[in-house]
Amino acid sequence: METNVVAGQDSAAVPLIGAILLATDMVTERDMRALLPPSALTCTTRIPFENPTTPDNLRKTLPHLGTAASLLVPGGDLSAIYFSCTSATITLGESVVHDAIHAQRPGIEIVTPLAAAKRAFAALAAKRVSVFTPYVAQTAKVVVDHLSDSGFEIASTLGLDMEDDRDMAVLPAQTIIDYAVSATAPDAEALFISCTALPAATLVAQIEAAIGRPVVTSNLAGLWQASRIAGIFKPDAAHGRLMGLHDLGEGA
């Protein structure tokens, strides 16, 4: 478990954001440090997971969610719990994830990457999106189908067919940027980069400069939403259009 504390702060007086990560996640904690303001206290815990990132393996995360939630500073007043896995949330179902976590930590707001991404698209007034994922084909299809069923128009898709999220985590930055550019259709209003294990959140501003449209990644959306819930969000355009928003759209 990791906790970030700013010197001189009273832990009871500042927001506390918890996160549940897959055991193999090498990216989310780094994104939390990069994207959340230093006024936030953060804590993380992990659940068992074995690659490949297939729907069957993702379903196996469910029995561990409640236990993981109970380990996030027991008795602590959490502002939000972020479940940092896009594909597991969709495979299990949003309500199932909420119920499993609330069984141990009732009343705490829960953030998931895709629900946050849909709010982000609303804030950005984007309905037609391109989708870039590192997933195997059957997992990528689950994400794309969910977005389509949620009312979004899919302009294009690009999947890397990678089986191991530890390999996703070490893709070079320029490789990710190049894939993101090639994934974006000419008529897309935004690009969604799905997967909390892909180190893309800190590249958003560079990708936006290359494609001329907003970019939303799983961790960018999840941490944007968590910081809003915690009351610590501060617009910062250095991390892209979403993070630079002062005013939110009607659906956000």
Side-chain angles (χ1 to χ4, degrees), residues 1-3 16 18-20 43-48 64-76 78 81 101 104-105:
M1 179 182 296
E2 173 181 299
T3 303
L16 176 60
I20 298 172
C43 55
T44 66
T45 191
R46 292 172 181 262
I47 56 176
H64 306 288
L65 287 178
T67 300
S70 71
L71 295 174
L72 290 168
V73 190
L78 297 176
I81 293 176
I101 295 174
Q104 293 294 327
R105 303 300 288 269

Side-chain angles (χ1 to χ4, degrees), residues 199-232:
T202 57
L203 304 176
V204 163
Q206 295 175 67
I207 298 169
E208 288 182 342
I211 67 174
R213 275 153 286 183
V215 175
V216 175
T217 81
S218 291
N219 274 340
L220 187 81
L223 296 173
W224 168 76
Q225 181 69 8
S227 64
R228 287 176 56 205
I229 290 170
I232 57 170

Side-chain angles (χ1 to χ4, degrees), residues 127-170:
K127 291 289 289 183
R128 183 166 177 79
V129 299
S130 289
V131 182
F132 164 35
T133 83
Y135 309 129
V136 296
Q138 63 186 133
T139 302
K141 185 178 186 302
V142 170
V143 174
V144 172
D145 287 350
H146 179 89
L147 284 171
S148 181
D149 291 344
S150 299
F152 291 94
E153 299 175 28
I154 306 302
S156 60
T157 62
L158 174 65
L160 302 185
D161 204 29
M162 299 179 72
E163 294 189 342
D164 195 314
D165 53 359
R166 294 164 296 189
D167 294 334
M168 302 170 194
V170 295

